[in-house]
Amino acid sequence: MRLPKLTDRSSGVLLHPTSLPGEDLGATAREMVDFLAAAGQSWWQMLPVGPTGYGNSPYSAQSAFAGNPGLISLERLGADGILGADARRHDGGDHLANAFVAFSRSGGADHPDFRRFSEEAREWLEDFALYRAIKDVQGGVQWTRWPAPLRDRDAGALARFRQESQREIDFHRFAQWRFFGDWKALREYAQARGIGLIGDLPIFLAHDSADVWLNRGQFYLDDAGEPTLVAGVPPDYFSATGQRWGNPLYRWAEMRASGFAWWIARFRATLAMFDAVRLDHFIGYTRYWAIPAREPTAVKGRWRPGPGARFFRSVAAALGELPLIAEDLGVVTPAVESLRARFGFPGLKLLQFAFGTDPQAPSFLPHNYPRAAVAYTGTHDNDTTVGWFRDLGSGARGAGQAALERRTALRYLGDDDDLDDDGREIHWRMIRAIMGSVADVAIVPAQDLLGLGSEARMNHPGTATGNWSFRLAPGALTPAIANRLRDLTEIYGRRRPEA
């Protein structure tokens, strides 16, 4: 079965695996692939799948290379005889730890597939497993609070820890083996049905991550490992004080001196898992907002130049074709447009942004889209389409602005200028609009297929709690929804290629 390309006229669905009823890479993930195939779709887009850190955010991962153990399929552990077949994710048991005990007792360290994986992933696996094991032994505190010899990677201290805590290290190697085994099985299942997977590569890393601990010289950190400059964005429409994300910033000069070796390894690993990848905060590759770590808000930051075209030339020289999507939302300068165009990366078009008074709003109207674009009704950072439409005014969008956007949307999406239109099935009307646009790719969040309200929102940017918890009800994506989506897909020429 031929897999899609970003230059194909195609469409897909955005849904993170943790939002599946099973919350893992098991049976309900395969059911999602089956739904996409039945609906004539080409793509399944996800958020980052690394091990989550603070706030359970997939954009604050503890590794740029490891997978999220929370996505490991208990069903497959049972099928492989490593775990009881009746294990359930929410019944209070530490199933992964129990599975590791059973695996170890059966001589699992000599399992040929486990040994093969450990060798192939050695470049990142050993340091990640060591980092996670130390973190566990230290009660889960961040690495800057470990005893100084471990914090500073003293060779003798690390050797002693390995000797004393090999079992803890082996547990994390086991967990990664299971994650990547489940991922390989799901990827093959999707490929057999012609479904491509779109991943997500955050530009920044969590401070409390194996990569920052391992590569301190490539980040703005002090002698104790604490950040001196952190990431964020300046004050804007959404926040009068900007957003202070807190991620440590890269020392791009040092990374350039190494030929961007760490980044090339990161891209290679990510592209080995996905058929296309969304580059989060693409603007940051041209310039980024640097905030002194002592500042409580983003107000006193300043712009610094990003790595630019030289960076992507280096990655492309090492890896060849780069099937990347540029998340270019925000203040899109000519430099951003030039960089994106130079490497042929499609940008993002969000229909929810099309109906306000922002000067960029017209560029989000479907009749203005270029072909080299990925069109969305909204993303994980937006309210659902129904929630957005019903919002009477909140945050930076007052009641008058919300009413204006509703009226404008209804005029644009309706069959006529009926201002008494109450927005019936606004989600399907917006889906139809992006599907009918000339953008090469159209992606619909699963919440919009279901017409869910704000309760189903995935993330509220700038907030640390209450995010990433949306779950689909079992059987929510029905055959009727698949048929309706397939019909639009066929009408607008986005049917999945069959050969």
Side-chain angles (χ1 to χ4, degrees):
M1 183 72 74
R2 178 184 179 275
L3 290 175
K5 298 180 179 180
L6 292 176
T7 51
D8 292 337
R9 184 163 176 81
S10 56
S11 58
V13 174
L14 168 62
L15 183 73
H16 198 46
T18 60
S19 295
L20 293 164
E23 303 177 38
D24 62 20
L25 302 176
T28 57
R30 294 192 297 276
E31 290 171 5
M32 179 63 184
V33 173
D34 292 340
F35 169 85
L36 293 167
Q41 301 306 291
S42 301
W43 299 104
W44 179 1
Q45 182 172 344
M46 306 175 184
L47 307 184
V49 294
T52 57
Y54 178 72
N56 204 34
S57 170
Y59 292 90
S60 185
Q62 295 178 351
S63 170
F65 300 90
N68 182 358
L71 291 174
I72 292 172
S73 168
L74 302 186
E75 165 207 15
R76 284 175 52 84
L77 283 170
D80 290 346
I82 302 175
L83 190 66
D86 59 347
R88 298 290 183 272
R89 188 162 298 277
H90 297 297
D91 63 7
D94 192 347
H95 299 305
L96 194 56
N98 294 338
F100 174 65
V101 169
F103 176 75
S104 300
R105 286 175 178 169
S106 65
D110 293 324
H111 191 294
D113 189 63
F114 176 70
R115 294 175 63 182
R116 177 197 57 76
F117 169 76
S118 297
E119 182 60 33
E120 290 179 355
R122 178 176 296 276
E123 183 178 359
W124 62 265
L125 179 61
E126 295 305 312
D127 282 303
F128 173 73
L130 178 62
Y131 159 83
R132 277 295 327 191
I134 298 173
K135 189 174 179 66
D136 290 346
V137 170
Q138 293 297 319
V141 300
Q142 66 183 31
W143 63 267
T144 54
R145 298 178 184 174
W146 296 350
L150 295 175
R151 178 196 70 190
D152 298 335
R153 295 184 55 83
D154 175 78
L158 294 181
R160 286 189 295 274
F161 183 88
R162 288 189 183 96
Q163 185 176 14
E164 296 167 358
S165 305
Q166 190 60 52
R167 186 175 181 81
E168 287 81 358
I169 295 171
D170 286 344
F171 167 73
H172 290 289
R173 293 170 63 222
F174 165 78
Q176 291 304 306
W177 171 59
R178 291 303 309 189
F179 171 87
F180 281 98
D182 289 350
W183 185 268
K184 181 174 183 286
L186 178 62
R187 180 100 185 271
E188 290 175 349
Y189 190 86
Q191 287 176 332
R193 288 150 184 81
I195 304 299
L197 303 182
I198 300 178
D200 198 317
L201 195 149
I203 186 172
F204 298 118
L205 292 175
H207 175 227
D208 189 12
S209 65
D211 301 271
V212 177
W213 174 61
L214 182 64
N215 302 291
R216 284 171 60 172
Q218 298 195 65
F219 297 85
Y220 282 100
L221 307 175
D222 63 21
D223 290 342
E226 296 292 349
T228 57
L229 289 175
V230 297
V233 289
D236 59 12
Y237 174 83
F238 295 101
S239 173
T241 58
Q243 296 179 35
R244 184 189 184 280
W245 297 333
N247 311 78
L249 290 173
Y250 302 110
R251 292 184 181 272
W252 283 113
E254 281 74 4
M255 290 186 153
R256 185 168 57 249
S258 70
F260 301 107
W262 177 84
W263 274 98
I264 290 170
R266 187 184 186 193
F267 271 97
R268 180 182 290 111
T270 305
L271 290 169
M273 296 178 66
F274 295 97
D275 301 291
V277 174
R278 170 188 179 272
L279 289 182
D280 178 57
H281 197 55
F282 181 75
I283 289 171
Y285 293 98
T286 61
R287 64 173 185 170
Y288 59 92
W289 191 246
I291 308 165
R294 65 180 180 276
E295 293 293 331
T297 73
V299 171
K300 294 186 178 180
R302 65 185 180 92
W303 290 112
R304 289 191 171 196
R310 183 172 181 176
F311 171 80
F312 289 107
R313 283 200 304 270
S314 297
V315 177
L319 303 180
E321 181 183 358
L322 299 176
L324 303 177
I325 301 166
E327 187 273 286
D328 54 351
L329 304 176
V331 180
V332 181
T333 64
V336 173
E337 294 178 345
S338 174
L339 183 64
R340 185 188 63 214
R342 181 169 184 172
F343 292 93
F345 303 151
L348 266 60
K349 297 297 179 184
L350 269 61
L351 188 51
Q352 285 186 25
F353 288 179
F355 307 114
T357 55
D358 186 280
Q360 294 187 77
S363 70
F364 293 106
L365 289 167
H367 68 270
N368 288 327
Y369 294 171
R371 291 189 181 278
V374 183
Y376 298 79
T377 50
T379 73
H380 64 280
D381 281 335
N382 301 103
D383 203 344
T384 66
T385 289
V386 169
W388 165 82
F389 187 82
R390 292 178 178 170
D391 177 28
L392 298 180
S394 60
R397 192 171 78 137
Q401 179 69 21
L404 170 65
E405 292 182 21
R406 279 195 300 277
R407 289 195 302 272
T408 307
L410 290 175
R411 290 191 65 198
Y412 188 87
L413 300 166
D415 294 328
D416 52 37
D417 290 346
D418 180 6
L419 298 186
D420 293 326
D421 187 332
D422 62 0
R424 289 180 299 277
E425 292 206 315
I426 188 66
H427 50 299
W428 280 108
R429 292 158 74 172
M430 289 180 70
I431 292 169
R432 179 182 287 272
I434 65 167
M435 295 287 276
S437 75
V438 299
D440 285 330
V441 182
I443 301 290
V444 182
Q447 295 95 316
D448 285 355
L449 290 176
L450 298 169
L452 300 178
S454 297
E455 75 284 351
R457 183 171 182 167
M458 193 64 167
N459 182 45
H460 294 76
T463 63
T465 59
N467 298 313
W468 320 114
S469 60
F470 168 70
R471 301 288 178 271
L472 278 179
L477 293 174
T478 63
I481 293 174
N483 289 339
R484 188 168 186 180
L485 182 58
R486 185 185 188 94
D487 188 51
L488 287 178
T489 304
E490 292 176 347
I491 288 171
Y492 294 113
R494 296 184 181 276
R495 177 82 175 270
R496 185 182 71 254
E498 300 293 344

